[in-house]
């Protein structure tokens, strides 16, 4: 029986593999599954097993899973197709009779107004209906999501957003990976739903202040309306759909969708989550 990481070639997945090894899980018990041949080769160099898996190819998923395996399904990044892709992996898990399926969902997936939530709620529903033992790892926001905003602020001295006074309890991908690896490598998590987020929910004013410290220049927070935000994003070269999506996320933040702090992430990781400044500093280049 193996621990299969579906999505191991992504940024979070690679960190989970390394965390498992760091926790003493034998490399031979880990299967890193993903699409990127380059990343699979890198992971193979760590001694773990690898499998080429494409969520759009059911046969490739079937070949990576065996009865009794523990499967971590890291949610897909293809927003247009990921509901179908998730269903493909879940159906393969049922056919293989895996012993435990874990899914990286989104914070408060069943109640949040977050524009990203419906896909995750559907996946959770499919997993519950599958009858397989499950654990939901409901990830909040990554501090790394503000890498582009940090680089823009370096040039402009401004953090532009339409989140108002909304708060974000972000943490680094490494924080989430540590918690996920802890769940994968210990027992007693079946049927649990973990709401994972940073220890502190910051405001965008505080984010601008952290930007200032990291960049060594003054960065001010410019709070705009959703419509103004969309216009600014389009003026910067984004297409209307992407601009609208990003403004909608800020609207959700203003509604409190990413402010939840439960302590689950720090408790599972075994350490406090990374403070905002420390999470941003490596992104400055």
């Amino acid at each position: 029986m193996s621990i299969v990481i579906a999505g191991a070639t992504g940024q979070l997945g690679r960190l989970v593999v390394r965390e498992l090894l760091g926790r003493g899980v034998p490399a031979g018990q880990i299967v890193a599954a993903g699409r990127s041949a380059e990343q699979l080769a890198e992971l193979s160099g760590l001694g773990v097993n690898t499998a080429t898996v494409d969520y759009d190819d059911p046969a490739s998923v079937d070949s990576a899973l065996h009865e009794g395996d523990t499967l971590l399904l890291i949610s897909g990044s293809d927003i247009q197709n990921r509901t179908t892709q998730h269903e493909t992996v879940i159906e393969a898990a049922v056919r293989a009779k895996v012993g435990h399926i874990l899914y990286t969902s989104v914070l408060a997936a069943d109640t949040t107004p977050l524009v990203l939530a419906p896909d995750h709620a559907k996946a959770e529903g499919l997993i519950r209906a599958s009858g397989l033992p499950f654990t939901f790892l409901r990830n909040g926001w990554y501090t790394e999501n503000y890498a582009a905003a940090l680089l823009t602020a370096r040039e402009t001295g401004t953090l532009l957003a339409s989140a108002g006074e909304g708060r974000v309890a972000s943490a680094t991908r490494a924080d989430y990976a540590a918690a996920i690896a802890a769940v994968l490598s210990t027992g007693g998590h079946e049927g649990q739903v973990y709401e994972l987020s940073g220890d502190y929910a910051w405001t965008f004013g505080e984010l601008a202040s952290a930007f200032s410290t990291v960049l060594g220049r003054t960065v001010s927070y410019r709070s705009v309306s959703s419509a103004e935000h969309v216009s600014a994003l389009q003026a910067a070269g984004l297409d209307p759909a992407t601009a609208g999506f990003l403004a909608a996320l800020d609207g959700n933040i203003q509604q409190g969708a990413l402010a939840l702090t439960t302590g689950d992430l720090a408790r599972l990781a075994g350490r406090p989550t990374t403070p905002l400044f420390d999470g941003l500093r490596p992104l400055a280049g």
Side-chain angles (χ1 to χ4, degrees):
M1 294 181 289
S2 299
I3 298 174
V4 182
I5 314 299
T9 55
Q11 294 180 81
L12 177 62
R14 297 198 302 273
L15 290 171
V16 171
V17 171
R18 292 178 180 275
E19 279 284 343
L20 287 170
L21 292 170
R23 289 173 178 269
V25 176
Q29 292 181 13
I30 301 170
V31 178
R35 289 192 302 177
S36 168
E38 179 182 352
Q39 293 299 334
L40 286 176
E42 179 182 318
L43 291 168
S44 179
L46 300 175
V48 304
N49 300 305
T50 62
T52 302
V53 165
D54 185 338
Y55 290 173
D56 293 320
D57 179 7
S60 73
V61 184
D62 284 334
S63 67
L65 300 177
H66 300 89
E67 185 171 353
D69 284 346
T70 294
L71 169 64
L72 171 65
L73 170 56
I74 296 178
S75 56
S77 57
D78 182 352
I79 294 176
Q80 297 299 320
N81 300 299
R82 68 179 172 187
T83 293
T84 300
Q85 292 173 340
H86 291 160
E87 186 171 9
T88 294
V89 179
I90 295 162
E91 288 175 348
V94 171
R95 287 192 295 272
K97 300 179 181 178
V98 304
H100 186 190
I101 182 170
L102 301 89
Y103 174 68
T104 60
S105 188
V106 72
L107 204 61
D110 49 356
T111 59
T112 181
L114 195 65
V115 66
L116 293 167
D119 288 352
H120 294 288
K122 288 176 185 176
E124 287 190 7
L126 290 169
I127 291 169
R128 288 183 185 275
S130 74
L132 295 170
F134 69 86
T135 304
F136 296 147
L137 303 153
R138 290 177 167 175
N139 290 355
W141 224 228
Y142 301 141
T143 299
E144 291 89 343
N145 289 345
Y146 293 98
L150 178 66
L151 298 181
T152 298
R154 169 180 280 159
E155 301 301 320
T156 65
T158 300
L159 168 65
L160 186 144
S162 54
E165 293 304 309
R167 290 179 174 268
V168 178
S170 73
T172 65
R173 284 192 180 91
D175 292 334
Y176 288 100
I180 292 167
V183 175
L184 285 168
S185 59
T186 59
H189 302 286
E190 290 83 354
Q192 297 298 310
V193 178
Y194 296 118
E195 304 286 357
L196 305 180
S197 60
D199 295 336
Y200 176 74
W202 44 261
T203 66
F204 276 70
E206 289 172 306
L207 180 60
S209 178
F211 279 7
S212 299
T213 303
V214 168
L215 296 172
R217 65 159 299 174
T218 300
V219 176
S220 59
Y221 170 38
R222 181 184 168 202
S223 180
V224 297
S225 69
S226 182
E228 289 171 326
H229 196 188
V230 169
S231 295
L233 291 170
Q234 288 185 247
L238 294 183
D239 63 89
T242 302
F245 176 75
L246 293 175
L249 285 174
D250 271 16
N252 291 152
I253 290 170
Q254 191 165 23
Q255 294 171 288
L258 295 176
L260 181 65
T261 55
T262 66
D264 282 356
L265 180 55
R267 179 174 58 81
L268 290 169
R271 57 172 172 76
T273 61
T274 305
L276 180 60
F277 170 76
D278 292 330
L280 290 171
R281 186 166 45 188
L283 307 179

